[in-house]
Amino acid sequence: VIRASRFEIKSDLQGDGARLTLTGELDIATVSRVEDAVAAVLAKGARGLIVDLSRLAFVDSSGLRLFIALNDRASAEGWTLGLISPPEPASAVFQITGAQENLPFIEDPSP
Amino acid sequence: MDIGQARAILDLAHSAFISIDEEGLIVYWNVRAEEIFGLTREEAVGRVLADTVIPERLRASHWEGLRRFCETGEGPVLNKRLEMTALRSDGSEFPVELTISALSEPEGWSFHAFIADISERARLEQERQLLLDELKLALRGTEQRLAVIVDALGEAVTIRGPDDNLIHANRAALDRMGLASVDELRRADPRELMEGWETVGEDGSPIRMEDLPSVRALRGEDPEPLMMRSVHRGTGEEQWVVLKATAVRDASGSIEAAVTIIEDVTSAKRSALRMEFLARASQVLASSLDYQQTLRNVAGLAVPQIADWCGVELFDDEGGREQVGVAHVDPSKLEMAERLRAFGPEELDPEQGLGLVRRTGEPVLYGDIPDELLVEAAVDDEHLELLRAVGMRAVLIVPMVARSRTIGALTLVSAESARAFDQSDVEFAEQIAERAALAVDNARLYSERSEVARTLQSSLLPEALPDLPGWEIAALYRPAGHESEVGGDFYDFWEVGGDWLMLIGDVTGKGVGAATVTSLVRHTAWAASDFDRRPAAILSRVDAALKRRPSLSVCTALCLRISEGRGTLASGGHPLPLHLGEHGVNEAGRHGTLLGAFSSVDWPETPFEMQPGETLVAFTDGVTDTVGEGDERFGLGRLKEILAHTQNESPMVIRERLVAALEEFQVGAQADDTAIVIMRFTGARTAAGSAEKISSVTGAKG
C-alpha cells in the first residue's frame, strides 16, 4: 500500500490559458492526478499551460519524468508549457538532472 | 362502483354482511348471512334486525345504542371488533365476531356489519380451558406434574432427575432422541444416550455430560444457555441446539429435577456460520496473491465447522494434479493426509471422485462410504488401513471453475464429526470453490507476471560483487513493495583493460518496460566502454541509445572509472556519491544531465583519489526519498549524518546501519526501489599519482 500523499491540484482555465497550481508532494502516488488534470484542461481547449510548482514541498523522479513527457508532448502537439519552479529542497530533482536548464521554467507571470 | 356491483362482491365475502337503516330494519343480507342465520335474503330484508338475530335478553341494549347514536352521534361500539352472542332462525345461539360501521346517506344513517361465526374458535378455547382444568387436577407429585406440563409444550423438553437420569421427555424430545416412549428413555443410561451423538460446542471442543446445563443445574449452578452441535452417529444428521435448563425445587427448597428446553437453531446457525465463513474466505482470498498459501488458508477456515477435512487440489493441463492445501483441526491428523497422498494414483479415474469432477465440472457427493468402497479403492493393506483410520463418513468434491475451465477441486470430508452432507452443503461448497477458483486464476496471471519480473530483476543485477583489488564492496538492493514489478534501480561492476567500471542508476518507471530500458542501459554501457572508458563518454552513448527509443525513456546513472585508489566519475542526473574521509562526509563530483531526456547535455567528469580507509557511498533516490512520519523524507542530511558515524567501519557494517536506519524511519510500504553501493578503499596497492583529491560540491558535513 502506497500511502496517500498530501497533494492538491487547483485548476484554472481562462480562455485558452490554463494554470494548474500543485500543492504538497508530487511523487509516484500523485503523478497520475496531474496527468488527469492536464488531460482535462487540454480537452477543454487549453493551448497554453502553466504548471505552478511553487507550492510543492517535494518532487520525485516520477514527477520529473512527467514534466519531461509534458514538454515533449507540448512540442509535438503545438501548445506551450511553462513551469514555475518549486522552492528548495523540492527543486533538487530539477537541479541535479539538468532539468532546470532543459525544461521551460518561467518567472511567474501573475505572482 | 354502484350498489349492485358492491353487493355482488359482498355476496362473495366469507363473512356475513348485514345492513340496516335508522329504524333498525334490515336493508341488505348477503349469501353468507343466509347460511349463518338460516334465513334467505327475501325472508330477512325488511324485518327488524333485533328480532331476527339478537337474543331477546340483549335486544334492549341494541335499541338503546341505536337511539343514542341517532340523537347524539355517539357510537362506542362502532368500528371495532366485538364479540357477541347471536341468534339463529331455529332459536339456537352461537358466538360471533362483528364490526359495525355507520354511513350517512341522503335518506339518513345506515349501519353495516361484517359478522363471522366463531363457534369453532370458541370450541377450541373451551377445550384448552378443559386441558388446563385437567392439568390442575393432575398437579399431584412433582414428576407427574412436570411431565404433564411439558407434554403440552411444542418445544423439546427433557426432565433430568437428581441422579442425572432422564426421567421424562416430551414427544418432541423423544423424537429428537429417536426414542419411542418415556419408558424407553428411563431405561436408558444417560451417558450411553449421549454417546449416540457427537456433541461439540461452538468452539469445536467436545461437550461432556458434566457440561450440560441440566446437569449443572442439578449441582446447584445457574448455568448459561449452551449452544452445541450434535451429529447423530447413526444418521449423520447435524443439529445445532441451544439448551436452557432450570432447577425445580421442592417445598423445602432442595433440587429435585432439572428441566431442559431444547431449541433447534440449526438453520439459523448454519446460515450464520456459512456467511461468516464466506466472508472470511473472501477476505483471505483477496488478501494475498500467493494462491497456494491462500488456498491453504481457505482450507483451514473450513475445518471443523464445515467439514472435518478440507483439501484443495489444482489440476494442470497435462492431466497432473497437485494438492496445495489440506486442513484438519487436529494437526497430528495431517500426517495421515501426507501418507495418504503417497497412495494417490498417477492417473485419475475419470469415472469417479476427483477424476469425475475434473472431467464433468460437476460436484460429486458420496453420502455414504461403506467399507467395501474403501477395500475397492485401496491399493494395498497399508493404504486400506490408512483409509479406515481416516474414518470417512461422507465426501463432497466440488469443482473450482475459472473461465470455463476446471482448474481444481475442493474436497470436503466428514469423518469423526460423523455429519452427513446435504444439498445445501453442496451449494455452499460450490460457492466457496467458485471464489477460490477466481482467486487462483487471478493469482496465476499475476504470478506469471511476477515470474517474468523476478527473472528480469535477477538478470539486471550482478550475480556477485566482483573482487576489486584494494577495495571492499557491499551493495544493497531493496525493490519497492510491489512484488510483480521489476524495479528500475540497478548497479553493475565490470572490468575493461585493467580498469574497473561501476555503474549505478535508476530508470524512471516500473515493470517490464523499465526492465527493458535497464537492460539497454547496461548493455550500451558495456559496449561503449570497449571503445572509450571515460565515464562521460559512456553516459553519452547511453543517452544517445535512450533517445533512439520510440517512447520517452529516461534514466539517471552514475559512472565511476576506478584504477586502484584513483578514478574519475560523472553523473547523468544521478545523486552524487558521498565520500567518507578525513574531512567528513561530502558529495563527490558534479551534476550532469539526465540521460535520454534533453537535447542540451553536459557530463562533467571529476577525478578522485581515495586514501586507504576512505569510503565512497553511491545510492539511488529511493534512499533519500524514503517516507517517514508526517510525510517527512529521509533526505540527504540524514544519510550523511548516519555515514558520519560509520567512519572506519567496513562496508558490510555501513550497509547494516543504513538498512536499520531506513527501516526505522520508513512508514508504510516502500514506494521506490533502493540501491546502495558502498566501496571502501583498503589501500592494499595505492599507486602514486597526480589525481586531485576528491572534490566537494556542497562541502556540507551531515
Side-chain angles (χ1 to χ4, degrees):
Chain A
V1 180
I2 296 174
R3 86 199 199 300
S5 303
R6 284 180 290 219
F7 182 71
E8 275 171 39
I9 302 176
K10 192 163 137 282
S11 178
D12 294 309
L13 180 64
Q14 286 186 350
D16 64 357
R19 183 184 177 111
L20 297 180
T21 306
L22 315 185
T23 309
E25 308 210 323
L26 179 59
D27 60 15
I28 195 152
T30 53
V31 151
S32 63
R33 292 173 54 194
V34 182
E35 285 170 347
D36 294 346
V38 170
V41 294
L42 290 179
K44 286 181 192 158
R47 304 296 298 156
L49 172 62
I50 291 175
V51 185
D52 179 0
L53 313 181
S54 66
R55 295 178 192 187
L56 284 178
F58 178 78
V59 184
D60 80 348
S61 56
S62 40
L64 168 64
R65 189 180 196 283
L66 167 71
F67 296 121
I68 296 168
L70 278 185
N71 190 38
D72 288 355
R73 192 174 153 194
S75 308
E77 295 175 0
W79 47 275
T80 59
L81 174 71
L83 303 175
I84 298 165
S85 187
E88 296 263 10
S91 60
V93 72
F94 298 115
Q95 283 156 8
I96 71 168
T97 56
Q100 202 77 51
E101 297 82 48
N102 281 283
L103 289 178
F105 282 99
I106 56 169
E107 290 296 315
D108 191 346
S110 57
Chain B
M1 178 161 62
D2 66 21
I3 296 288
Q5 279 175 310
R7 291 190 165 159
I9 291 170
L10 287 168
D11 274 346
L12 297 173
H14 288 294
S15 300
F17 186 78
I18 302 173
S19 302
I20 60 171
D21 60 12
E22 273 184 24
E23 309 299 323
L25 296 176
I26 295 166
V27 296
Y28 181 71
W29 186 266
N30 77 349
V31 175
R32 186 81 178 109
E34 291 182 337
E35 291 167 18
I36 290 179
F37 294 98
L39 273 181
T40 65
R41 184 178 299 170
E42 287 70 30
E43 290 170 318
V45 171
R47 288 172 69 157
V48 175
L49 176 84
D51 299 344
T52 313
V53 302
I54 300 176
E56 195 167 348
R57 63 183 185 281
L58 304 170
R59 287 177 192 162
S61 63
H62 162 73
W63 287 119
E64 168 59 20
L66 192 62
R67 185 191 57 78
R68 192 175 55 193
F69 178 81
C70 292
E71 283 174 9
T72 67
E74 285 174 24
V77 300
L78 293 179
N79 302 314
K80 59 171 120 169
R81 194 181 288 253
L82 307 169
E83 277 188 29
M84 292 189 161
T85 303
L87 180 68
R88 275 196 201 94
S89 61
D90 64 4
S92 63
E93 295 186 6
F94 65 105
V96 291
E97 188 179 83
L98 73 160
T99 318
I100 308 168
S101 53
L103 272 180
S104 174
E105 287 176 282
E107 44 293 11
W109 286 97
S110 64
F111 303 90
H112 311 269
F114 275 105
I115 305 162
D117 181 348
I118 56 168
S119 307
E120 180 65 11
R121 198 164 86 197
R123 189 183 62 75
L124 287 173
E125 253 168 43
Q126 204 172 359
E127 276 181 13
R128 193 154 56 222
Q129 190 56 45
L130 276 173
L131 185 71
L132 273 176
D133 292 344
E134 278 171 25
L135 271 174
K136 280 176 193 157
L137 278 174
L139 292 181
R140 274 187 237 109
T142 312
E143 260 181 47
Q144 201 184 349
R145 188 171 69 213
L146 287 171
V148 170
I149 295 170
V150 302
D151 282 347
L153 291 169
E155 284 170 305
V157 178
T158 58
I159 303 171
R160 196 180 291 276
D163 55 359
D164 288 349
N165 286 333
L166 287 169
I167 54 178
H168 189 79
N170 65 0
R171 190 69 254 163
L174 288 173
D175 289 346
R176 250 188 69 79
M177 290 184 275
L179 297 172
S181 68
V182 174
D183 283 344
E184 207 179 317
L185 172 79
R186 290 186 178 178
R187 283 197 301 271
D189 175 55
R191 286 182 193 275
E192 271 174 32
L193 213 50
M194 206 174 152
E195 281 302 304
W197 282 268
E198 172 77 28
T199 49
V200 294
E202 279 191 283
D203 58 357
S205 60
I207 301 287
R208 298 159 306 160
M209 192 152 142
E210 294 71 37
D211 303 322
L212 295 178
S214 56
V215 174
R216 293 178 59 198
L218 287 173
R219 306 281 179 274
E221 295 175 42
D222 185 13
E224 293 279 301
L226 172 71
M227 179 175 299
M228 68 177 200
R229 187 181 77 158
S230 65
V231 177
H232 192 266
R233 292 192 203 273
T235 63
E237 191 193 357
E238 180 204 52
Q239 280 190 322
W240 281 93
V241 292
V242 174
L243 306 179
K244 292 176 199 155
T246 27
V248 179
R249 293 168 192 270
D250 64 14
S252 68
S254 60
I255 296 169
E256 51 181 350
V259 178
T260 305
I261 297 181
I262 304 162
E263 190 188 351
D264 187 332
V265 294
T266 307
S267 67
K269 182 65 184 171
R270 271 200 200 174
S271 71
L273 276 178
R274 287 172 181 177
M275 289 313 292
E276 190 188 322
F277 176 80
L278 274 184
R280 282 160 69 198
S282 302
Q283 208 176 358
V284 164
L285 288 170
S287 67
S288 167
L289 286 165
D290 176 353
Y291 67 86
Q292 303 224 343
Q293 182 58 46
T294 300
L295 292 175
R296 278 193 289 277
N297 292 345
V298 169
L301 285 180
V303 299
Q305 270 95 348
I306 314 294
D308 297 311
W309 294 85
C310 179
V312 184
E313 222 118 359
L314 289 179
F315 304 138
D316 63 27
D317 293 334
E318 284 79 47
R321 67 188 195 279
E322 183 192 5
Q323 188 174 54
V324 292
V326 61
H328 189 280
V329 75
D330 177 1
S332 68
K333 297 225 174 185
L334 290 177
E335 189 222 353
M336 204 146 71
E338 192 64 39
R339 284 171 58 203
L340 259 181
R341 202 193 310 188
F343 289 101
E346 197 72 23
E347 298 241 330
L348 290 173
D349 179 351
E351 294 310 319
Q352 59 174 339
L354 269 180
L356 181 61
V357 170
R358 175 176 201 164
R359 185 173 61 81
T360 62
E362 296 291 332
V364 172
L365 170 63
Y366 297 96
D368 189 30
I369 314 267
D371 193 59
E372 303 88 77
L373 197 73
L374 300 184
V375 174
E376 196 184 312
V379 296
D380 60 22
D381 287 350
E382 191 193 347
H383 192 199
L384 181 62
E385 195 188 318
L386 261 174
L387 286 172
R388 282 178 172 154
V390 172
M392 283 181 272
R393 172 173 185 101
V395 176
L396 169 58
I397 310 172
V398 290
M400 288 165 54
V401 180
R403 291 184 290 171
S404 323
R405 281 176 57 231
T406 303
I407 61 166
L410 195 72
T411 304
L412 296 169
V413 177
S414 161
E416 57 274 23
S417 73
R419 60 164 296 204
F421 293 127
D422 58 22
Q423 189 52 36
S424 73
D425 291 303
V426 177
E427 284 161 16
F428 176 58
E430 282 184 302
Q431 285 187 54
I432 304 168
E434 185 192 317
R435 282 169 168 77
L438 202 67
V440 171
D441 196 47
N442 284 340
R444 276 185 172 165
L445 289 174
Y446 172 90
S447 167
E448 278 158 22
R449 284 207 309 273
S450 190
E451 191 60 37
V452 171
R454 271 197 298 277
T455 311
L456 273 169
Q457 188 73 64
S458 61
S459 75
L460 297 176
L461 293 173
E463 281 173 20
L465 288 171
D467 193 9
L468 255 70
W471 292 83
E472 280 175 9
I473 302 172
L476 168 74
Y477 176 78
R478 294 206 307 167
H482 318 281
E483 282 172 35
S484 70
E485 303 203 319
V486 192
D489 285 11
F490 62 90
Y491 58 83
D492 202 0
F493 287 88
W494 71 101
E495 190 181 11
V496 180
D499 286 353
W500 280 89
L501 288 165
M502 195 282 280
L503 189 69
I504 182 169
D506 178 1
V507 169
T508 310
K510 305 269 306 168
V512 174
T516 315
V517 175
T518 305
S519 185
L520 171 73
V521 169
R522 291 177 68 211
H523 286 92
T524 306
W526 291 341
S529 65
D530 284 338
F531 305 102
D532 193 336
R533 276 170 267 166
R534 290 175 303 149
I538 292 170
L539 294 181
S540 168
R541 296 289 287 267
V542 172
D543 179 66
L546 289 173
K547 284 174 180 163
R548 280 195 293 273
R549 281 180 58 83
S551 58
L552 178 66
S553 308
V554 301
C555 172
T556 73
L558 172 75
C559 185
L560 270 68
R561 177 185 175 184
I562 304 160
S563 178
E564 296 182 345
R566 296 180 297 147
T568 50
L569 67 89
S571 165
H574 196 86
L576 297 175
L578 295 171
H579 174 253
L580 284 63
E582 55 179 302
H583 302 299
V585 181
N586 299 296
E587 282 178 280
R590 281 175 284 161
H591 293 298
T593 315
L594 182 70
L595 308 180
F598 303 121
S599 50
S600 148
V601 294
D602 182 27
W603 297 286
E605 282 195 348
T606 308
F608 64 88
E609 182 175 345
M610 304 284 288
Q611 299 302 315
E614 290 185 342
T615 302
L616 262 185
V617 178
F619 57 94
T620 59
D621 62 7
V623 176
T624 44
D625 290 357
T626 296
V627 183
E629 205 72 58
D631 280 354
E632 200 184 347
R633 304 284 168 162
F634 193 75
L636 190 59
R638 231 177 231 101
L639 178 60
K640 284 178 166 180
E641 195 177 315
I642 290 159
L643 293 176
H645 290 94
T646 58
Q647 294 279 9
N648 304 320
E649 298 285 6
S650 73
M652 304 284 230
V653 171
I654 295 175
R655 181 179 63 189
E656 297 322 309
R657 295 265 174 88
L658 285 175
V659 170
L662 283 171
E663 279 173 1
E664 194 194 326
F665 182 83
Q666 182 179 316
V667 171
Q670 189 185 330
D672 198 4
D673 297 340
T674 304
I676 305 175
V677 173
I678 305 157
M679 309 171 61
R680 184 180 193 221
F681 184 57
T682 57
R685 283 181 293 162
T686 310
S690 60
E692 293 170 40
K693 284 204 78 177
I694 209 149
S695 61
S696 160
V697 169
T698 66
K701 189 173 171 181

